[in-house]
Amino acid sequence: MIRNDTTFVIVGLGLLGGSYAMGLKEAGYGVLGVARRQETIDHALAHHMIDAGTLDPEEFLDQADIVVFALYPHIMIDWIHEHQNAFRPGTLLTDVSGVKVNVADKVQSFLRDDVEFIAAHPMAGRETRGIEYANTEMFHDANYIIVPTEKNTKEAVETSRQLAEILQFHHIATLTMQEHDEMIGFLSQLTHVIAVSLMNTHDNSHLVEYTGDSFRDLTRIAKINETMWSELFLLNKKILLSEIDAFAKELEHFRDTLAKEDVDEMKRLFIQSTERRKKFDKLK
Amino acid sequence: MIRNDTTFVIVGLGLLGGSYAMGLKEAGYGVLGVARRQETIDHALAHHMIDAGTLDPEEFLDQADIVVFALYPHIMIDWIHEHQNAFRPGTLLTDVSGVKVNVADKVQSFLRDDVEFIAAHPMAGRETRGIEYANTEMFHDANYIIVPTEKNTKEAVETSRQLAEILQFHHIATLTMQEHDEMIGFLSQLTHVIAVSLMNTHDNSHLVEYTGDSFRDLTRIAKINETMWSELFLLNKKILLSEIDAFAKELEHFRDTLAKEDVDEMKRLFIQSTERRKKFDKLK
């Protein structure tokens, strides 16, 4: 459990890692930061986001109760593999990765027995990157998904929930790795594929002055971190391909309905989408 | 031109017609309303949106300087065809239709020579319908597109612009019918097809609690008036089919890129969409 004197080590001080550090410091916990560039640490110190910072991966590990990895998945996997001997027995590790199969299970497959890794996905983020954009407000309307496996203890799940509460996430839920990746494949990854593809359909710059909210809302997420998202998409390739195919099939059905001028079917599709979408309003 | 004593007749007091009435009354003009149901007129009178209202299509036409048709396109075409003998010589007619080819040109093809029809498209609207939702704020961040043909006078174009200024539209532009319908086919109609198809891809109600902004933003316009939009889609069928095909092709390219794990091409697509989308931010 997280106690008043719990010390966190945040590995990776980007947008998310910086925001975690900020939220934990504000809540009064000890926060140590590990980054790859001195400027990042200088920024974090100047903004009182960490108590101390280092470029040395292992320097703070003998003080850590909980280590939060806010790194790209493959970098995190390599990091833990390389430095796991430096953890204290009983250290709890957690992450922020957007995909879980082949990430959480992979870490757990080689991790020391006296250290526990509990996977979590804070569904917060912005179209920006870097510690300069760190803020804790983005957690307040966001979901935090805890993704335990059979290797996890109840206590680690509870500690993960406590962390989300400290950071004031709006909603906390628990899913299996497979459920998580399917949910993300549809709600997040497919929507990004659609926005990117719509933006890439034409060079639209001459249309800027006519653009209304529909187009802006639909393409907001076409501004995308190409390194992170290509990694996440490849990690979830099978599920995402099947989601793209399901959507493409539905789009083709609409196309055929219009081509045939089947007004009854077109209205049925509109009524169905309207009814379904209304359910998503209610809980907002 | 619109003078202080100009009298407007608004035919059709739904969301848009009601909002036009409200804006023109607030600006001090004479506003008469024509509707199909007495309750609509009662509502408009009770809320001071019109000076007088009638169910009789022709009752007010001998007082009208400008008639605004806020009807579905096919109803407007039939209405003008049936009642055009009741207009005073010199009356200016205008509309709010979301498609122009086969609408504006059709009206102009049979219209009396001493009456002028200038097509316009106020790109404002909500996912609601009916006079109860009428409001003038929706114009303030919206585009107003004037769509003149070779049958129109310069004065009518100028009057149309004046009307948009009175209603405080954010941006006023002029396009040909073809340009207008192509722009709408991409920016508005294709985005609605995508939102509707995404919403119809699965029954997603079990995902509501995990839904973030990306999915909500992308599907907001899946709540759609099935009668109006099926009519608008059919009117613009050829252009919309070609836009759906262009988008489907881009989506398929993304799918293939992911299937092949072509990371370089995936990153190129992300970078391109990011660059293009940035241009749409600036003018917001």
Side-chain angles (χ1 to χ4, degrees):
Chain A
M1 301 306 290
I2 298 171
R3 300 169 312 271
N4 288 339
D5 63 348
T6 293
T7 295
F8 291 86
V9 170
I10 314 286
V11 182
L13 294 172
L15 175 66
L16 265 179
S19 301
Y20 267 60
M22 192 181 273
L24 290 167
K25 265 288 275 179
E26 280 172 9
Y29 297 96
V31 180
L32 306 171
V34 184
R36 280 187 301 190
R37 297 185 310 132
Q38 186 59 41
E39 307 91 89
T40 306
I41 291 167
D42 293 343
H43 181 98
L45 285 169
H47 291 78
H48 310 290
M49 294 156 75
I50 54 175
D51 296 302
T54 180
L55 302 178
D56 173 0
E58 302 189 1
E59 180 179 348
F60 292 145
L61 294 188
D62 63 355
Q63 300 172 61
D65 297 302
I66 298 177
V67 183
V68 178
F69 291 94
L71 301 173
Y72 290 177
H74 77 278
I75 297 177
M76 172 179 76
I77 292 168
D78 292 348
W79 200 105
I80 296 175
H81 197 263
E82 191 174 339
H83 301 293
Q84 63 171 322
N85 290 328
F87 296 127
R88 291 194 298 189
T91 303
L92 184 66
L93 317 182
T94 190
D95 73 332
V96 302
S97 309
V99 170
K100 295 309 182 190
V101 175
N102 294 323
V103 179
D105 47 353
K106 195 157 182 178
V107 170
Q108 289 175 342
S109 71
F110 63 69
L111 191 65
R112 283 165 52 183
D113 282 342
D114 59 349
V115 165
E116 183 167 352
F117 177 85
I118 175 85
H121 180 193
M123 292 178 67
R126 290 290 179 268
E127 298 86 54
T128 49
R129 50 184 117 171
I131 193 167
E132 313 86 69
Y133 296 99
N135 71 86
T136 53
E137 289 81 39
M138 69 174 165
F139 300 146
H140 301 170
D141 63 354
N143 291 307
Y144 182 91
I145 318 285
I146 305 167
V147 190
T149 71
E150 70 287 350
K151 299 252 180 119
N152 284 115
T153 59
K154 273 191 189 171
E155 201 195 334
V157 175
E158 204 37 56
T159 303
S160 184
R161 177 178 299 274
Q162 220 186 332
L163 174 58
E165 281 164 0
I166 291 166
L167 295 173
Q168 298 178 54
F169 276 87
H170 173 63
H171 179 68
I172 304 169
T174 298
L175 289 175
T176 67
M177 289 192 294
Q178 184 70 20
E179 285 169 342
H180 171 273
D181 288 2
E182 285 174 2
M183 181 270 288
I184 284 296
F186 179 73
L187 285 183
S188 169
Q189 295 185 334
L190 176 60
T191 53
H192 282 78
V193 170
I194 290 171
V196 166
S197 298
L198 177 58
M199 211 65 228
N200 284 337
T201 298
H202 304 294
D203 180 359
N204 307 296
S205 46
H206 66 291
L207 294 177
V208 166
E209 62 174 312
Y210 306 108
T211 303
D213 288 344
S214 318
F215 187 80
R216 284 214 167 82
D217 282 355
L218 222 75
T219 56
R220 183 177 55 82
I221 54 176
K223 287 196 296 182
I224 188 167
N225 173 332
E226 72 277 5
T227 310
M228 184 175 80
W229 284 88
S230 56
E231 178 170 349
L232 293 176
F233 279 13
L234 287 183
L235 279 167
N236 207 26
K237 175 181 158 181
K238 196 178 151 195
I239 288 173
L240 180 54
L241 283 177
S242 111
E243 293 294 350
I244 294 173
D245 291 343
F247 169 71
K249 196 175 157 192
E250 189 67 33
L251 185 72
E252 194 187 350
H253 174 62
F254 194 97
R255 190 220 181 276
D256 293 344
T257 302
L258 174 61
K260 284 190 298 197
E261 305 197 2
D262 183 347
V263 177
D264 289 344
E265 173 62 4
M266 198 181 300
K267 286 186 180 174
R268 189 191 72 76
L269 292 168
F270 288 151
I271 290 168
Q272 177 175 279
S273 72
T274 301
E275 285 308 310
R276 286 186 179 174
R277 182 57 178 76
K278 278 182 185 161
K279 293 184 197 157
F280 284 80
D281 274 348
K282 286 181 192 154
L283 296 179
K284 192 161 188 180
Chain B
M1 302 305 291
I2 298 171
R3 299 170 312 271
N4 287 340
D5 63 350
T6 292
T7 295
F8 291 86
V9 170
I10 315 287
V11 183
L13 293 172
L15 175 66
L16 266 179
S19 302
Y20 267 60
M22 194 181 271
L24 290 168
K25 266 288 276 177
E26 280 172 8
Y29 297 96
V31 180
L32 306 171
V34 184
R36 280 187 300 188
R37 297 184 310 130
Q38 186 60 41
E39 307 90 272
T40 307
I41 291 169
D42 294 343
H43 181 98
L45 285 168
H47 291 78
H48 310 290
M49 294 156 76
I50 54 175
D51 296 302
T54 181
L55 303 178
D56 173 0
E58 301 190 2
E59 181 179 347
F60 292 146
L61 295 188
D62 64 352
Q63 300 172 60
D65 297 303
I66 297 178
V67 183
V68 178
F69 291 94
L71 301 173
Y72 290 178
H74 78 279
I75 296 179
M76 173 180 75
I77 292 168
D78 292 347
W79 200 105
I80 296 175
H81 197 263
E82 191 175 337
H83 301 292
Q84 64 171 324
N85 290 328
F87 295 128
R88 290 195 297 189
T91 303
L92 184 67
L93 317 182
T94 190
D95 74 333
V96 301
S97 309
V99 170
K100 295 308 183 192
V101 175
N102 294 322
V103 179
D105 47 354
K106 195 157 184 179
V107 169
Q108 290 175 342
S109 71
F110 63 70
L111 191 64
R112 285 165 49 183
D113 282 342
D114 59 349
V115 166
E116 183 167 353
F117 177 87
I118 175 85
H121 181 193
M123 293 178 67
R126 290 291 178 269
E127 297 87 51
T128 50
R129 49 184 118 170
I131 194 168
E132 313 86 70
Y133 296 99
N135 70 86
T136 52
E137 289 80 42
M138 68 173 163
F139 300 147
H140 301 170
D141 61 354
N143 291 307
Y144 182 90
I145 317 286
I146 306 167
V147 189
T149 71
E150 71 287 352
K151 299 254 180 117
N152 285 115
T153 60
K154 273 191 188 167
E155 201 196 334
V157 174
E158 205 36 57
T159 303
S160 184
R161 178 178 299 274
Q162 221 186 331
L163 174 57
E165 283 165 358
I166 291 166
L167 294 173
Q168 298 180 54
F169 276 86
H170 173 65
H171 179 68
I172 304 169
T174 298
L175 290 176
T176 68
M177 289 192 293
Q178 184 69 23
E179 285 169 344
H180 171 273
D181 288 1
E182 285 174 2
M183 179 270 286
I184 284 296
F186 179 74
L187 285 183
S188 169
Q189 296 186 332
L190 176 60
T191 53
H192 281 78
V193 171
I194 290 171
V196 166
S197 298
L198 177 57
M199 210 65 227
N200 285 337
T201 298
H202 303 294
D203 180 359
N204 308 296
S205 46
H206 66 291
L207 295 176
V208 166
E209 63 174 313
Y210 308 108
T211 304
D213 288 344
S214 318
F215 188 79
R216 283 215 168 81
D217 282 354
L218 221 75
T219 56
R220 183 178 55 81
I221 54 176
K223 287 196 296 182
I224 188 167
N225 174 333
E226 72 277 4
T227 310
M228 183 174 81
W229 284 86
S230 56
E231 179 170 346
L232 292 175
F233 280 14
L234 287 183
L235 278 167
N236 207 24
K237 175 180 156 180
K238 196 179 151 191
I239 288 172
L240 180 52
L241 283 178
S242 110
E243 293 295 350
I244 295 173
D245 291 343
F247 170 71
K249 196 176 158 190
E250 190 66 34
L251 185 72
E252 193 186 350
H253 174 62
F254 194 98
R255 190 220 180 277
D256 294 344
T257 302
L258 176 60
K260 284 190 298 198
E261 305 196 2
D262 183 348
V263 177
D264 288 343
E265 173 63 3
M266 198 180 303
K267 285 185 180 174
R268 189 192 70 78
L269 291 169
F270 288 150
I271 290 166
Q272 177 175 279
S273 71
T274 300
E275 285 308 309
R276 286 189 179 173
R277 183 56 179 76
K278 277 181 186 161
K279 291 184 199 156
F280 284 80
D281 275 347
K282 285 179 192 156
L283 296 178
K284 194 165 187 180

